[in-house]
Amino acid sequence: MDIKDIKIFLEINNCRNISTAARTLFLTQSTVSRRLSMLEKELNVKLFSRGKGHDTVQLTLAGERFLIIAEQILALSIEVNSIEENKLIQHLSVAVPDSLASYMLRDFFRQLSRENPNLKLEIIVSDSNPTYEMVANREVDIGLTNGEAPYPELNSKLVFKEDFVVMRKGNKDSFSQLVHPSELKSGNEIYQFFGSDFNRWHDYWWKPGFAKLRVNLAQLTVEFLNEEEDWAILPESVASTLLPEDCYLSYISDSPPERSCFFVTHKKPRTDRVAAIQKFNRRLQVYIKEQINNKSNS
């Protein structure tokens, strides 16, 4: 059994479409179809079914059974090929929002990479909703999200919570340390989405669509705080990192729900990634505990 055929089978399953799998693998559709037929002939089973008039394919019962075996074969192949000087290379992919990756968890990723040279880490910046889908499809191993996973095949574990604060343009002497939402003008807001709970709270106080500007990167939020009384709501870890000299932070009375970070994994992760996922989780828990202790002592 050729490992290339295994990879083709797994890619077709990921894409649910032979043409898409061919493009992803940089092969022709005829080559992918031929290699799949060869694999099915070798196994003497039909691995995929396709309804009449449909481009998508679905695993047959035999295909579902072979999927587990194929993943194990690929995992073993990777392990064999990654032995270097008696050290095992581990691969791990993580999808995470920019507001977590670039701020609260920036030093964590640096430390993890530095302390584990044999861990080949792939960080994918992604909002929470696409992350759930990627983990569910096992396109990534770990999702760090702003909410619990909505899919039954996924596990969610709360990692930490933090407050939101208001960043305002202007002299700090003109602002109080506590601000009520009613004091903030909708037309001066630079808005960023931070999950459905945050959005429900936000839309109670300000009409949707009335913000001065909507962005999806925290760095852009600061770039567009240009006029007196411009303001934005950001997680405290983000705001304290980005705070310009001409801006000021205030806590919010009648505050929004805390920003949450959840550790999301598939209930049946790839067998070759289980150890790396567990190691990542343990190290993350230690890091967050250290951050909380440092904040309490400061």
Side-chain angles (χ1 to χ4, degrees):
M1 189 175 298
D2 194 323
I3 194 65
K4 292 180 181 178
D5 294 340
I6 297 292
K7 292 179 179 179
I8 287 173
F9 164 77
L10 292 172
E11 193 59 39
I12 294 172
N13 180 58
N14 285 336
C15 298
R16 294 288 194 265
N17 183 285
I18 292 176
S19 298
T20 304
R23 288 194 298 271
T24 303
L25 295 167
F26 299 98
L27 298 172
T28 64
Q29 183 176 341
S30 60
T31 298
V32 170
S33 297
R34 178 173 55 83
R35 297 298 292 257
L36 175 61
S37 296
M38 291 171 57
L39 180 61
E40 290 179 326
K41 185 176 181 180
E42 183 177 357
L43 296 171
N44 198 30
V45 294
K46 195 74 173 174
L47 296 172
F48 293 100
S49 62
R50 180 165 57 189
K52 189 175 181 180
H54 296 282
D55 293 331
T56 58
V57 296
Q58 299 291 332
L59 287 172
T60 62
L61 290 177
E64 290 178 357
R65 292 177 60 190
F66 183 66
L67 175 63
I68 298 172
I69 298 171
E71 289 177 337
Q72 292 173 342
I73 292 173
L74 181 61
L76 290 172
S77 173
I78 292 172
E79 289 184 11
V80 169
N81 293 328
S82 65
I83 295 175
E84 179 182 351
E85 296 180 358
N86 296 322
K87 293 182 179 179
L88 190 63
I89 301 297
Q90 292 182 308
H91 295 265
L92 195 65
S93 55
V94 183
V96 55
D98 170 71
S99 59
L100 282 170
S102 299
Y103 305 99
M104 172 66 93
L105 300 181
R106 179 183 58 191
D107 290 339
F108 166 72
F109 286 121
R110 287 175 176 171
Q111 292 175 16
L112 188 69
S113 180
R114 184 173 62 250
E115 295 169 2
N116 300 274
N118 295 316
L119 176 64
K120 304 308 175 183
L121 187 64
E122 179 184 11
I123 301 172
I124 301 167
V125 175
S126 170
D127 291 335
S128 294
N129 286 338
T131 293
Y132 301 135
E133 294 185 14
M134 286 191 285
V135 178
N137 293 329
R138 292 193 284 195
E139 297 170 12
V140 296
D141 305 304
I142 296 169
L144 297 172
T145 67
N146 290 320
E148 290 189 77
Y151 303 145
E153 64 267 35
L154 302 181
N155 286 322
S156 301
K157 182 178 181 180
L158 180 65
V159 180
F160 70 87
K161 291 185 176 184
E162 65 173 326
D163 291 326
F164 284 97
V165 295
V166 176
M167 181 185 291
R168 290 186 281 179
K169 178 82 170 183
N171 189 320
K172 68 178 182 179
D173 294 331
S174 63
F175 295 133
S176 61
Q177 292 186 340
L178 189 66
V179 62
H180 191 271
S182 61
E183 300 175 52
L184 302 169
K185 298 177 182 178
S186 184
N188 289 102
E189 181 185 16
I190 311 300
Y191 173 81
Q192 184 175 355
F193 178 79
F194 287 105
S196 56
D197 289 343
F198 172 86
N199 203 51
R200 280 191 292 271
W201 172 86
H202 177 276
D203 290 351
Y204 174 82
W205 291 107
W206 301 281
K207 292 180 180 179
F210 277 66
K212 181 178 181 179
L213 192 69
R214 297 173 67 96
V215 299
N216 64 356
L217 289 176
Q219 180 64 51
L220 288 177
T221 302
V222 176
E223 296 293 335
F224 289 109
L225 289 173
N226 296 320
E227 300 177 4
E228 289 290 322
E229 297 189 5
D230 281 353
W231 59 277
I233 298 177
L234 294 168
E236 189 173 10
S237 62
V238 178
S240 59
T241 302
L242 290 176
L243 184 63
E245 292 182 358
D246 58 351
C247 289
Y248 185 65
L249 299 183
S250 299
Y251 286 96
I252 310 166
S253 60
D254 284 325
S255 59
E258 293 174 298
R259 194 273 273 276
S260 301
C261 172
F262 285 86
F263 182 84
V264 178
T265 55
H266 201 287
K267 290 182 178 178
K268 295 182 179 179
R270 289 177 48 174
T271 53
D272 60 316
R273 305 291 173 91
V274 172
I277 291 172
Q278 293 173 344
K279 185 174 184 178
F280 181 99
N281 186 26
R282 289 194 299 268
R283 187 65 190 88
L284 178 61
Q285 298 297 329
V286 171
Y287 176 83
I288 294 300
K289 188 175 181 179
E290 290 173 350
Q291 297 304 302
I292 293 172
N293 290 338
N294 290 340
K295 183 179 178 181
S296 299
N297 295 331
S298 61

